[in-house]
Amino acid sequence: MNKRILLPTDYSKNALNAIRYALELYRDVQCDFYVLNVFQVSTYTLDNMMVPEPGEQFYDTAKRNSEEGMAKLMEMIKLGPDNPKHRFHTICTFNSLTEAVKSIIAKQDIDIIVMGTKGASSPKVKIFGTNTVALMEKIKDCPIIAVPEGYFYTVPKEIVFPTDYKSDYKRKELHYLIEIAKLHDSKINVVHIDKNKDGKLSHKEETNKQLLQDILDGTDYEIHFLPAVNIADGINIFIEGKDCDMITFLNRKHLFFGSILSNPLVKEIGYDPKIPILELNDN
């Protein structure tokens, strides 16, 4: 069965860059790409009791602009090398981004979302941009790869997976990490930063570590231990030292975090990612 990948776009350079990243990441995989543009009507809001209808001037203009933008985007994509393994489907819809994505995931059985990030003035959303944050917080059915602005595709040979071993792991949670690693012969670098400074793990942490190793068995992985440092500094130094190409984290929405921005790992790594981030879910 073809892999089904959702590519949200606002027709920016940033979004095009993320699409190109997805095409390269899955170059050797049979894929159906669903390219989504969500349009809205300036005189209406989705909370408004008045919903624009097809045939109304503002709605038709917004729809036409969306469809014209999509046509231009597809022409740009076709300028790249032809890949017979890839098929494209375009969707232009009036909706909120989150609701549109939820609907497409359900209807098309989407496997993964790949989208670009945007710089933003607010430090709370600088991490990925408001749209990416919204999807990471509300989409629970599939993982998201966030591609930083201006990042050019590099084969993800070194993937970093920070962990505190505080919670156990499930094979299905790590499926997409393992899949990408096997697809590109990547090394998974499991990084544990010791906050206790003594290097010792509790019985529960040891059990979780062993479980993680069992799940990663069959992949090229390495366990790393970093002495107690600031987590953000430690991870970023590790990324630079190993020349890592992707960072992965597990966002357990129903356990600890009401918001991705309250996820301790995300907060401490910082709000300005330099490499693509694979956010996994505990669906």
Side-chain angles (χ1 to χ4, degrees):
M1 182 177 174
N2 287 11
K3 183 163 289 299
R4 293 165 172 255
I5 300 172
L6 179 59
L7 304 172
T9 179
D10 59 1
Y11 304 138
S12 65
K13 289 182 181 178
N14 207 22
L16 177 60
N17 189 51
I19 291 172
R20 287 174 171 157
Y21 182 92
L23 301 187
E24 286 296 321
L25 187 68
Y26 292 102
R27 182 197 306 176
D28 299 321
V29 180
Q30 296 280 353
C31 292
D32 280 290
F33 291 101
Y34 293 83
V35 187
L36 167 69
N37 177 254
V38 173
F39 65 89
Q40 295 179 356
V41 179
S42 59
T43 55
Y44 296 86
T45 69
L46 291 166
D47 299 325
N48 199 323
M49 294 299 291
M50 297 175 61
V51 178
E53 298 287 343
E56 293 183 15
Q57 179 183 352
F58 292 115
Y59 179 97
D60 288 351
T61 298
K63 183 173 184 288
R64 183 171 60 253
N65 290 340
S66 175
E67 291 173 344
E68 289 175 354
M70 184 66 74
K72 291 177 183 176
L73 172 61
M74 297 312 297
E75 286 298 321
M76 294 180 74
I77 291 174
K78 288 176 184 175
L79 290 175
D82 182 53
N83 188 336
K85 293 180 182 289
H86 292 172
R87 294 192 304 178
F88 294 89
H89 313 267
T90 60
I91 304 167
C92 298
T93 183
F94 172 78
N95 210 335
S96 72
L97 178 62
T98 301
E99 291 306 313
V101 167
K102 285 181 178 178
S103 174
I104 294 166
I105 289 173
K107 289 178 182 176
Q108 305 298 343
D109 193 24
I110 296 296
D111 292 300
I112 193 166
I113 300 167
V114 182
M115 64 188 302
T117 67
K118 285 185 176 178
S121 56
S122 168
K124 286 188 176 182
V125 298
K126 187 179 177 185
I127 176 172
F128 298 129
T130 51
N131 286 337
T132 317
V133 167
L135 289 188
M136 284 186 167
E137 291 189 342
K138 295 175 183 176
I139 300 302
K140 302 178 181 179
D141 299 316
C142 66
I144 295 174
I145 295 177
V147 183
E149 192 167 9
Y151 184 87
F152 292 103
Y153 178 78
T154 301
V155 178
K157 287 297 185 183
E158 299 282 345
I159 302 174
V160 59
F161 180 42
T163 180
D164 56 10
Y165 299 128
K166 296 293 185 188
S167 56
D168 56 10
Y169 299 93
K170 298 179 180 64
R171 202 170 297 274
K172 66 178 181 179
E173 293 175 331
L174 301 177
H175 168 75
Y176 286 95
L177 168 61
I178 293 170
E179 180 182 73
I180 289 172
K182 288 184 175 180
L183 183 61
H184 296 286
D185 296 321
S186 314
K187 174 183 277 188
I188 299 172
N189 296 279
V190 179
V191 178
H192 175 243
I193 295 179
D194 177 33
K195 283 182 151 184
N196 300 321
K197 301 184 180 181
D198 58 9
K200 296 178 181 178
L201 297 179
S202 68
H203 175 71
K204 185 176 188 304
E205 289 167 348
E206 283 286 2
T207 300
N208 291 335
K209 178 182 177 183
Q210 184 57 55
L211 177 59
L212 178 59
Q213 290 178 272
D214 291 345
I215 293 172
L216 295 179
D217 186 42
T219 68
D220 181 9
Y221 76 91
E222 187 174 348
I223 302 289
H224 302 269
F225 171 83
L226 298 182
V229 291
N230 173 277
I231 290 181
D233 292 342
I235 295 299
N236 286 325
I237 289 170
F238 184 89
I239 287 171
E240 291 178 10
K242 275 279 189 181
D243 200 19
C244 294
D245 312 293
M246 179 178 284
I247 183 168
T248 301
F249 71 89
L250 182 59
N251 194 31
R252 284 190 162 100
K253 296 178 175 64
H254 71 280
L255 287 180
F256 316 123
F257 317 121
S259 163
I260 192 174
L261 299 177
S262 64
N263 181 319
L265 176 62
V266 177
K267 283 181 71 174
E268 296 199 55
I269 286 176
Y271 295 119
D272 190 18
K274 300 293 192 296
I275 59 176
I277 294 186
L278 169 62
E279 180 235 15
L280 302 171
N281 298 308
D282 59 346
N283 48 358

